[in-house]
Amino acid sequence: MVLDAERRQLYYFAHNNTFHVIDLHGQVLSSRSLLQYGEHAVLQYPLLHLAADGVLHAGWTTQQHGVYMYWDIHHMLSRDGGETWVVRTVEAGPPGIHVAREELNDGRLLAFTRDRGRTHGTMPVSVSADQGKTWTSRPSEFPWLTWVQRPVLL
């Protein structure tokens, strides 16, 4: 759940593919399906982030049907409080899954991901200067994470 103080509302992206806008008194203003169940995989680990410029980012991984294995990672963004969305793919995104992302004071996005050491032999660190359109990744000083661990930025 994310607070949009400027618009005076909350956003919630649920595991059942739905996106909800809620006012500060708990009244649901709108609810709709953002995604649909796929032929090969379903939504897992939805995440919302509201950037300082008001852009709402939604990220999620998918899980292959019947197998507890991550299928892919996805991202989309909204510049109008969730009314419309622009879909992004991960071809130019951070490597791996379970993205822990934070906006830096200068507006860049910083991300750590779990990729079991496949990309660099350590946990990858990625930076985007254009709100996630493109990313530059490099090895971090942190060891790679195992299959039960997830990165967190505090």
Side-chain angles (χ1 to χ4, degrees):
M1 186 171 290
V2 171
L3 168 65
D4 186 338
E6 185 173 315
R7 291 185 178 103
R8 301 187 49 77
Q9 56 193 20
L10 301 166
Y11 306 114
Y12 178 64
F13 186 18
H15 281 86
N16 66 354
N17 298 323
T18 57
F19 173 76
H20 309 274
V21 180
I22 306 157
D23 72 16
L24 298 183
H25 302 288
Q27 177 76 30
V28 176
L29 301 174
S30 67
S31 293
R32 67 173 188 220
S33 293
L34 276 186
L35 308 172
Q36 56 186 330
Y37 292 100
E39 179 181 342
H40 301 286
V42 295
L43 169 76
Q44 188 165 13
Y45 301 120
L47 173 74
L48 290 174
H49 171 76
L50 186 66
D53 63 0
V55 175
L56 181 62
H57 296 267
W60 67 96
T61 58
T62 54
Q63 177 184 329
Q64 184 178 356
H65 292 295
V67 180
Y68 189 70
M69 180 62 64
Y70 303 106
W71 188 261
D72 211 343
I73 188 168
H74 304 271
H75 173 256
M76 62 184 171
L77 60 86
S78 173
R79 289 180 166 72
D80 57 11
E83 292 293 318
T84 60
W85 294 89
V86 175
V87 176
R88 296 279 173 83
T89 60
V90 296
E91 284 80 29
I97 60 174
H98 296 303
V99 177
R101 184 184 74 194
E102 187 59 47
E103 186 170 3
L104 301 174
N105 290 336
D106 62 7
R108 293 179 302 150
L109 299 177
L110 172 71
F112 286 91
T113 54
R114 188 186 95 193
D115 77 343
R116 296 188 189 139
R118 292 180 187 151
T119 306
H120 301 295
T122 66
M123 184 189 316
V125 59
S126 304
V127 176
S128 174
D130 54 14
Q131 289 296 306
K133 291 178 186 171
T134 59
W135 294 85
T136 302
S137 298
R138 63 174 174 78
S140 75
E141 62 271 19
F142 303 113
W144 59 274
L145 299 176
T146 69
W147 65 276
V148 297
Q149 298 172 310
R150 291 178 178 81
V152 175
L153 294 174
L154 300 175

